[in-house]
Every structure is written in C-alpha cells, then in structure tokens.
Amino acid sequence: MSELLFLSIFAAIGLNLFPRHDGAVVELIGQRVLEPVVRASGNTLRIDFNEPVEWLETASLPIWIDRLTADSSGLTIEFDLLIASADWALSGDSMVMIVFARAEEEILLPPVAWQAPPAPPDTSLWSDSLVFAALERGEGSPWLVDFDCIVVDPGHGGRDPGAVGRSGSREKDRTLEISLMVRDLLRIRLPELRVVLTRTVDEYVSLGARTRMANRNRADLFVSIHCNAAVNRSANGFETYFLSRARTDDARAVQMLENNVLELDEISTVPEDPLSFLLADMAQSIFQNQSSHLAGAIQSSFSHAFPVRRDRGVKRAGFYVLRGAYMPAVLVEVGFISNPEEEQGLKSLDFRFKAAQAIVESIVEYAERES
Ligand SMILES: [Zn+2]
C-alpha cells in the first residue's frame, strides 16, 4: 500500500530499536552493500533485501513492538501503533530508519524516492492530543518515554586539542572540566536522570562514536560543550547551536572550526555527499523545535549568569557531531578561548562553574517541560 525505496547499504546486519518521544528509530548496521525495499502499511513495516542477510544481533523485543520477525530475506516489524511516516537516513557506517507512529487513523506513506530531497516531516500528524488520548486510555504510551537519560559531550580530546588560546589553554581541557561539573550538578538537581559523558578523561573519541553512544543509551538529549575561537581576538560571548544548514557567515566559520576534527577521524568515509547530509539533517529537523527551545533556554541562563558578557544568541549550523543524534541535540560555545579575557575566564573555576550551572539550569527547565 505504500512505499518503496531503494538504498545501498553495507550483509551481516546488526539491529537496534530506539523508542523516541516522536516515534521509533530502527537502526540497521552492516558492511555489505544491499538494496532494501521497504513497505509500510498500518502498523507493519517490512524490509526486504536483494540478497540473503545474516542477523548479527536480535534485539530484545521492546514493549512498543508487537512482533518482530527477522529472516534471511528481511525483517518484519509490527508496531503497537500505526505508522504515520517512515524515512531513511544514512549515518556514517550505519543505515537508519526513522518511523513515526502517532496516528490514530491509518495514514498511508507518501511515496518517497531515495534520490529526491525528502519532504519536510508533517508535524501536524504529531498532535499532542493523540498522545494524551493514549495516556487517558491508560496505555502509558510507549512513545512518551520519560526524560531519563542525557548525554553530555565534552568537545574534542586526546590528539584533538580543539582551539588553543594565546596563553596555551586547550579547548579539550576546558570542555572536559565544564562537562564533569555539568554531570555532578545534574546528579544533584535531577537525581533520577542518567547522565552519560562521551568521555571522562583526555582521550580521542570520534564524532560518529559520540552520537552512537547517545543513540545506544537511548538518550533524550545530547548536549555538546565547546569553546569558540576566532581570528579576531576581540570576538567574545556565548552562543548555542542546533543542527541546520548554516545561515550566516559566522555560523559557517564556527561550523568549519568544529567540523575540522573530521580530518583526524580514522573513518575517512564520512558521508560528505549532499544527500546524506540532507537526510541526517532531516533526522535532526524532527527534533528541531525541542533543540531550538533548549538552545534558547541555555542562552537565557547564560545571560543571567554572565550579565556583562555578550549574548550571541541561538544559531543554526551543520555540525557533524549533532548529525546522527536521534534526539534533541545542541552545541554550546561557552566562550572564546581566542579572546585573552575570556581565556582567563575559562581558566578560572568560578567562570566554569557558572557556565556549568547555567547549562544545568536550562536542562532542568527543559526536563520539567518535557516530562
Ligand atoms: Zn570545539
């Protein structure tokens, strides 16, 4: 009844299933090139491959899936809710399918061609009332997963120092110190929340591994912490990004700076074609409202914490580290390590504590709003 799409993926296949507020993510991970044919109808999703596959791991069945049958020719998933839409995205070495299931009535998937730019997701289908109706029926909608896990990502690390200040401060050290404080403060403010750091020591973690960690942990939020740098030493202030195509030259410059680490990544097959960018971008665009809301909350917390510093606002850019995160995700630039005054600030415990506190306050506000 609905949709066919073709996609080359890499055939021993691993399977992961992530529940999300907005639906579900089906992640297929493999190394051989395959052409899956996807049919979605009602609550059933069927994926057929053009050659036999071997499943590496069978995911234990989450409550939001009624039945899962994996055989050598493909995969059938019966969801406990109707499928509103399904889209593919390619993320580094994995293929990812995103399924939305918030419709009360059957909605047939519109034809989606792999080669064509995807239509923006129809957010009108995700009215909260459907979810509330499910809750009133006492179903404890599996789609409303509690806000129970956050991944905090200290930018850079190991052989990637990030930006380095004039007096020798390295971005990777400052971001780790702030992130550890964020973790400790969150444990006090939100004791029920599971806080995962992408690194807790000075080690190199590839950008792809950071978001994979967030996906594996079923995180509800991904917060990446960085320090800014600019050729102009007087540039100063704090800004928060969410994933989108860069809109201004400044945002493009920051994007280039933070994406530079890709050269250090051992995986040189980072998808750089515009299509995979578009799809990864689309995956994040689903969480765009939540991400931009959190970005705004972080900016206003920083304004309160640092009334004399410059609020550079909420910005959009195409950060690689935010791509592939199937959850709301933001990147905070707490200050300019290239600005001598802010570099001094970043070296002081008081400054870093205030920054960590500002981030935590906005996460607490976000958590209250989301749960
Ligand atoms: Zn950085």
Side-chain angles (χ1 to χ4, degrees):
M1 301 229 276
S2 170
E3 224 5 49
L4 305 187
L5 35 153
F6 290 87
L7 169 62
S8 291
I9 63 163
F10 309 98
I13 292 183
L15 171 66
N16 282 305
L17 301 160
F18 309 120
R20 298 274 9 126
H21 289 76
D22 308 90
V25 175
V26 178
E27 185 180 32
L28 301 169
I29 304 164
Q31 305 240 306
R32 219 163 79 198
V33 175
L34 292 173
E35 285 182 349
V37 176
V38 181
R39 295 183 178 84
S41 160
N43 66 336
T44 305
L45 192 73
R46 173 70 198 176
I47 304 169
D48 282 300
F49 297 108
N50 59 325
E51 52 182 295
V53 295
E54 185 190 327
W55 296 95
L56 284 179
E57 46 187 297
T58 18
S60 62
L61 224 53
I63 53 160
W64 41 275
I65 287 186
D66 283 345
R67 193 192 313 210
L68 186 149
T69 328
D71 53 52
S72 65
S73 63
L75 181 71
T76 302
I77 303 172
E78 290 171 45
F79 290 88
D80 73 340
L81 288 176
L82 295 172
I83 296 169
S85 71
D87 283 307
W88 292 105
L90 191 65
S91 162
D93 53 358
S94 67
M95 185 181 78
V96 171
M97 157 165 265
I98 300 170
V99 176
F100 297 97
R102 270 201 178 184
E104 275 185 327
E105 290 168 13
E106 181 167 6
I107 295 165
L108 295 180
L109 299 187
V112 178
W114 167 243
Q115 291 83 357
D122 182 357
T123 48
S124 65
L125 296 175
W126 312 340
S127 112
D128 280 344
S129 59
L130 293 177
V131 177
F132 294 140
L135 285 177
E136 277 165 18
R137 288 196 302 270
E139 290 167 8
S141 169
W143 310 106
L144 278 185
V145 194
D146 288 339
F147 182 80
D148 58 10
C149 177
I150 180 172
V151 168
V152 178
D153 173 46
H156 313 275
R159 64 180 189 268
D160 167 26
V164 179
R166 286 181 71 84
S167 74
S169 254
R170 296 176 303 187
E171 179 181 0
K172 65 172 183 177
D173 300 322
R174 305 287 92 100
T175 58
L176 181 58
E177 289 157 350
I178 294 170
S179 301
L180 289 168
M181 279 183 201
V182 166
R183 179 193 64 186
D184 296 344
L185 289 168
L186 279 172
R187 283 180 177 165
I188 298 165
R189 293 297 312 275
L190 299 170
E192 307 285 300
L193 184 68
R194 199 156 53 89
V195 186
V196 177
L197 259 65
T198 54
R199 66 181 179 97
T200 53
V201 293
D202 180 19
E203 67 180 348
Y204 178 76
V205 183
S206 76
L207 296 179
R210 294 171 193 252
T211 44
R212 273 200 295 279
M213 212 179 288
N215 291 334
R216 299 267 182 285
N217 277 284
R218 281 75 164 151
D220 300 295
L221 196 58
F222 181 85
V223 177
S224 190
I225 297 175
H226 288 257
C227 304
N228 225 329
V231 181
N232 174 2
R233 283 174 55 202
S234 64
N236 66 90
F238 45 88
E239 58 196 11
T240 306
Y241 288 85
F242 62 97
L243 188 86
S244 181
R245 287 186 182 279
R247 293 290 161 89
T248 67
D249 284 346
D250 265 7
R252 218 165 278 130
V254 174
Q255 172 185 335
M256 279 178 64
L257 192 74
E258 301 298 4
N259 284 344
N260 263 347
V261 67
L262 286 178
E263 288 164 17
L264 296 175
D265 277 357
E266 276 136 9
I267 308 160
S268 54
T269 53
V270 168
E272 280 308 330
D273 60 295
L275 182 61
S276 59
F277 179 89
L278 194 68
L279 290 172
D281 198 20
M282 182 183 72
Q284 257 301 306
S285 75
I286 288 142
F287 307 112
Q288 201 152 292
N289 285 348
Q290 286 156 297
S291 300
S292 67
H293 172 82
L294 176 68
I298 290 175
Q299 284 304 115
S300 73
S301 286
F302 265 83
S303 301
H304 283 108
F306 300 102
V308 296
R309 292 182 59 213
R310 182 172 166 215
D311 178 350
R312 303 172 65 92
V314 170
K315 297 184 177 174
R316 305 154 170 248
F319 293 118
Y320 183 82
V321 73
L322 300 182
R323 292 161 55 184
Y326 306 113
M327 66 214 59
V330 298
L331 186 147
V332 191
E333 298 277 6
V334 297
F336 281 75
I337 207 162
S338 54
N339 176 304
E341 208 176 307
E342 295 207 337
E343 184 188 8
Q344 285 313 308
L346 285 160
K347 280 167 130 178
S348 85
L349 184 65
D350 178 59
F351 182 102
R352 294 200 303 271
F353 185 76
K354 272 189 187 161
Q357 216 170 18
I359 293 168
V360 167
E361 287 315 313
S362 53
I363 291 168
V364 171
E365 189 212 295
Y366 178 89
E368 281 163 359
R369 189 174 178 267
E370 288 298 310
S371 11

